[in-house]
Amino acid sequence: VLMLDAGVFDDIAATVMLHPGPIDIAAGRSLALSEATVRYTGRESHAAVAPYLGINAADAVTVSQVAIGLLRQQLAPGQMMHGIVTDGGQAANVIPARAELRYTMRATNSESLRELESRMSGCFAAGAVATGCEHVVTETAPAYAELLPDAWLSSTLRAEMVRFGRTPIPEDVEASMPLGSTDMGNVTQVMPGIHPIVGIEAGGASIHQPAFAAAAISDSADTAVTEGSI
């Protein structure tokens, strides 16, 4: 937390969090986010001897993911979801009585996120209805609100980037480039804050790729750390 003296803004409490990236962004934004775990419970049975006695929880996962895939066509701008299967059974010859999904949902703002969550809930339920399984949806972590960059802080940071010879992307482009999600979004809902991206030479790699991790220990990255801290 920084205490800033901004002339007409005296002793303003504000937050600034820097992140490396392949380009310079003064007013980085982020999407609202929530995460859920979906557990399906069916009934085990031998897959060859008595498959008709089983209730296949892995099939519930399949139906749910098909429903999610079909939903993508009707998503509002900024809405997205991505997930993994964390449990799909233990043996190929046993109809699994338990299976589990973990999904992340994102949207441009919290209101849009609530709408997406409601539609995703129907997809999760579809797997249970189609297979006869029971299902439980559990929130895995507190939700993140969208990040709202403070205009004055962003303008000041943009000028500093230019002073150091950097070329931050234009403001109108910033507004259309959400960069993942962060709990700092919750902070900016109640106090001024910014989450700028300080560019490093990454050879076209994006964050969370192995090539970007390698670039993060380069001279360019050291420069970004130094300039970002001034």
Side-chain angles (χ1 to χ4, degrees):
V1 177
L2 306 179
M3 297 302 295
L4 305 177
D5 184 357
V8 295
F9 302 100
D10 294 325
D11 296 329
I12 296 176
T15 58
V16 178
M17 182 167 69
L18 299 175
H19 198 293
I23 55 178
D24 290 300
I25 304 177
R29 287 164 167 77
S30 71
L31 298 169
L33 171 149
S34 63
E35 296 180 335
T37 294
V38 187
R39 178 175 297 176
Y40 294 98
T41 303
R43 184 169 59 234
E44 290 179 341
S45 187
H46 195 287
V49 175
Y52 50 89
L53 296 180
I55 298 177
N56 197 318
D59 285 352
V61 165
T62 298
V63 172
S64 176
Q65 290 193 303
V66 169
I68 291 168
L70 294 173
L71 172 62
R72 293 184 191 278
Q73 184 184 8
Q74 281 78 43
L75 294 179
Q79 291 180 337
M80 63 181 73
M81 72 288 272
H82 26 268
I84 59 173
V85 179
T86 56
D87 186 357
Q90 303 301 315
N93 65 334
V94 177
I95 290 175
R98 171 178 164 171
E100 190 172 277
L101 291 170
R102 180 172 297 171
Y103 261 83
T104 296
M105 293 154 281
R106 304 183 200 251
T108 52
N109 55 57
S110 297
E111 181 181 357
S112 180
L113 179 63
R114 299 288 90 78
E115 177 189 347
L116 176 60
E117 289 172 338
S118 176
R119 302 187 75 177
M120 287 288 286
S121 178
C123 295
F124 298 146
V129 171
T131 59
C133 289
E134 301 292 329
H135 84 297
V136 176
V137 180
T138 305
E139 186 180 56
T140 57
Y144 296 168
E146 66 277 12
L147 192 148
L148 301 174
D150 180 80
W152 181 84
L153 289 172
S154 299
S155 177
T156 301
L157 193 283
R158 185 176 291 105
E160 287 298 292
M161 283 183 164
V162 172
R163 185 171 72 87
F164 277 101
R166 294 180 173 273
T167 308
I169 63 174
E171 294 183 54
D172 59 333
V173 177
E174 285 178 334
S176 63
M177 288 188 65
L179 298 168
S181 304
T182 171
D183 55 358
M184 188 179 173
N186 300 51
V187 177
T188 62
Q189 299 289 324
V190 296
M191 67 185 299
I194 52 172
H195 187 355
I197 308 298
V198 183
I200 68 174
E201 296 173 7
S206 180
I207 59 173
H208 294 198
Q209 290 187 307
F212 189 87
I217 58 173
S218 65
D219 291 341
S220 172
D222 289 342
T223 300
V225 170
T226 303
E227 294 181 353
S229 65
I230 295 176

